[in-house]
Amino acid sequence: MSQTSTTIPLVDFSQFSGTPEERESFLSQLRYAAREIGFFYLRNHGVDATLLHDVQRVAREFFALPEEDKLAVAMINSPHFRGYNRAASEITRGQPDWREQFDLGAERPKLSVSAETPAWARLQGPNQWPEALPELRPLLLRWQREMTAMSLRLLRAFALALKLPEDAFDPLYGEKPNEHIKLIRYPGRVASAGNQGVGAHKDSGFLSFLLQDEQRGLQVEVEENEWVDALPVADTLVVNIGELLELATNGYLRATVHRVVSPPAEGERLSLAFFLGAQLDAIVPLFPLPPELAKEARGDASDPLNPLFRDVGFNYLKGRLRSHPDVAQRYYSDIVG
């Protein structure tokens, strides 16, 4: 069942800096959107509009490169799960996703590892950058910085909305938040070939942000088997709650299942995703909500086939290994067998 996007709330981040009344109204709207739907549109987020336009442009230029230039930065070359994947390379719930994509994370040096080092330490390391498109690196790193600053500010707003101290989540992030960007192109396909752009799933981190183009495709499961179209809305980012934030609030906030339907054969869809995660060495606590909120907590809804762990690095590595079995086999055979 599909409905209109009006079911998904829209909140105005500028109200957070407004009058006390506007700020309280924003926090109330934020709490409602994150608890009842798990998705919302964020307007006046403060990320430079020209930068967003340039990032969309350079992403299209990347996907238009000759295949050999894209394969030169293929993810299979990176033990850190950074780089390019052709369509059908990533797996969601056992089925291939019909999207090509380019993944990057925080630009940090590779860590020294030993037999005693946790396996997730291998996730930290440099990105791969295509020599054929030198403009990509500075633009994406600038976008990453702006998105990180904005999202950490929004996370502070979440703390206040939950009636916690404003800095309650800060220790989870420190100096090394787990920033993850995906540039995604969904090629058009005929209906007879299937429609899984990306299969139904929940995001595993804290907060996810999506910059959409004009092509529809994102759908949100607001109730069991009831899907809502998250239609593109100009000058907004789509925000959704990740499983670790649901876990941290004992299910008071909601990580919602979503999927992407492939565009028609003559079209394509460009989607730019930013995922904010805690430091890889962090352990997610259960935050003590005030009694009036705690009594409404639903408990976390961990999938028994894909259980959640409060150990951030291990939880993140688990997701990467499941999604990219070729990279897992090449660099993590000691774990996956």
Side-chain angles (χ1 to χ4, degrees), residues 231-285:
L231 300 175
V233 175
D235 303 319
T236 69
L237 296 169
V238 179
V239 186
N240 67 281
I241 305 304
E243 290 177 301
L244 287 183
L245 192 51
E246 179 179 85
L247 188 68
T249 61
N250 193 32
Y252 180 82
L253 298 183
R254 176 181 179 183
T256 304
V257 173
H258 52 287
R259 67 188 181 190
V260 173
V261 176
S262 295
E266 67 278 5
E268 67 174 8
R269 180 174 183 266
L270 182 74
S271 176
L272 308 183
F274 174 86
F275 306 96
L276 178 71
Q279 292 190 145
L280 290 174
D281 61 355
I283 305 295
V284 178

Side-chain angles (χ1 to χ4, degrees), residues 83-133:
Y84 172 74
N85 278 304
R86 291 166 162 159
S89 295
E90 185 167 2
I91 306 299
T92 301
R93 296 198 176 181
Q95 297 297 319
D97 296 324
W98 192 247
R99 58 178 181 172
E100 60 172 330
Q101 56 198 356
F102 181 70
D103 286 63
L104 68 139
E107 189 70 28
R108 296 180 181 129
K110 180 180 178 180
L111 294 174
S112 298
V113 297
S114 67
E116 289 73 39
T117 307
W120 55 254
R122 299 181 226 174
L123 292 169
Q124 181 173 310
N127 295 296
Q128 298 190 82
W129 300 103
E131 292 184 4
L133 191 59

